[in-house]
Amino acid sequence: MTLFTIDLAKIKGRGEFKCPRCGIKISPNDETEKAYTVLEPVMQGDLLERILLQCNKCGSQICLIGFRVQNEMK
């Protein structure tokens, strides 16, 4: 199993990115779970700290971090 970490605070756009292994587009607007599956959201109090995803094309696990910056912007 391959685990990658993506810092959302360091990417451009609206949260979409490509899987680091296979290149499939992963978008927060995709609610169908065709490209990825949410494995585990991790909360710290009322704030989202990170989310663990699995790419449905290649099986890589991707840990999304950088929500703290987005939480501070609210």
Side-chain angles (χ1 to χ4, degrees):
M1 169 182 60
T2 305
L3 177 65
F4 297 96
T5 299
I6 305 270
D7 187 343
L8 295 175
K10 294 181 179 179
I11 63 172
K12 295 180 182 180
R14 297 181 179 237
E16 59 274 337
F17 59 92
K18 292 184 178 183
C19 172
R21 184 171 180 199
C22 70
I24 193 170
K25 181 181 174 185
I26 296 178
S27 170
N29 297 327
D30 178 12
E31 297 176 5
T32 65
E33 290 198 351
K34 286 183 181 179
Y36 67 94
T37 301
V38 175
L39 298 177
E40 180 182 8
V42 178
M43 304 293 291
Q44 185 175 40
D46 292 339
L47 301 176
L48 183 60
E49 183 176 307
R50 65 183 181 269
I51 296 178
L52 183 61
L53 306 176
Q54 181 168 320
C55 175
N56 290 339
K57 183 175 179 184
C58 70
S60 293
Q61 290 190 355
I62 304 165
C63 183
L64 298 181
I65 62 171
F67 292 99
R68 186 163 293 163
V69 172
Q70 291 181 351
N71 289 328
E72 291 172 359
M73 296 173 81
K74 289 183 180 180

